[in-house]
Amino acid sequence: MEDRTTTLIGKRRLAAKKDPRASYQNRRQEICDAAVRVFHRKGFKAASLTGVAAELGVDRAMIYYYFSSKDQLFDEIVRTVLEGNAALALRIADSAISPPRKLRELISAFMISYAKHYPLLYLYIREDLSHVNDTRAAWSDHMRDLNRSIEKSVIDIVEQGLADGSFRRTGSAQNIAYAVLGMLNWSHRWYKPGKSDPPEELGKTFAEIVISGLESVY
């Protein structure tokens, strides 16, 4: 039989999600920020809602008012970050700067984002979206849409460079875009904050490798 207290908290949580007041949204953001710090220090498996509550100096029950589980908290943070990355990629792709500069800025920005939100985005990269449980299905679908949006932005940038001659046609725009994203994503195998080079430097290195391999020589 379902615990009555848990049921009441769940009902309050659902009602609160519709609350437009800034105080509620600000508190959710505080919890998300604290969770990032806890996940960063302990890793996802060792982290807990109790640890997040301790980070904020509040009771664990207060966290349950906003999030039902560690997975839901993780999903919320990743969704927010990925939405920001997708919007950033689109802005860069639609900007008036040259394709090489667009690609350079996007690569640098994504490496910085991976480091800033370590290890969350790397945990997400390893997530098999085709095997999540039913309660996360809507989240999974949204993540796929965001992934496709990011891929499209990178493909668009490469196509722009191929069209204006600033990039050599070393392959299809799609394959080049996948190579760029693959290089960034593979950094989850070795990147460690404080041990690896700063993300700004890594982003510059990655961008230089890509751009120097693509730029046309006149």
Side-chain angles (χ1 to χ4, degrees), residues 158-174 176 213-217:
V158 176
E159 286 179 339
Q160 293 165 23
L162 294 174
D164 72 6
S166 56
F167 292 157
R168 294 183 296 117
R169 191 168 292 278
T170 57
S172 70
Q174 183 180 61
I176 294 171
L214 285 174
E215 279 188 316
S216 296
V217 179

Side-chain angles (χ1 to χ4, degrees), residues 31 48 55 63 72-73 88 94 102 104 126 193:
I31 294 171
S48 66
E55 181 77 11
I63 304 295
Q72 187 197 22
L73 180 51
L88 173 63
D94 289 346
K102 289 181 182 184
R104 190 181 299 276
R126 297 197 295 269

Side-chain angles (χ1 to χ4, degrees), residues 83-100:
E83 285 176 346
N85 284 356
L88 173 63
L90 183 60
R91 286 198 301 272
I92 293 174
D94 289 346
S95 67
I97 59 179
S98 68

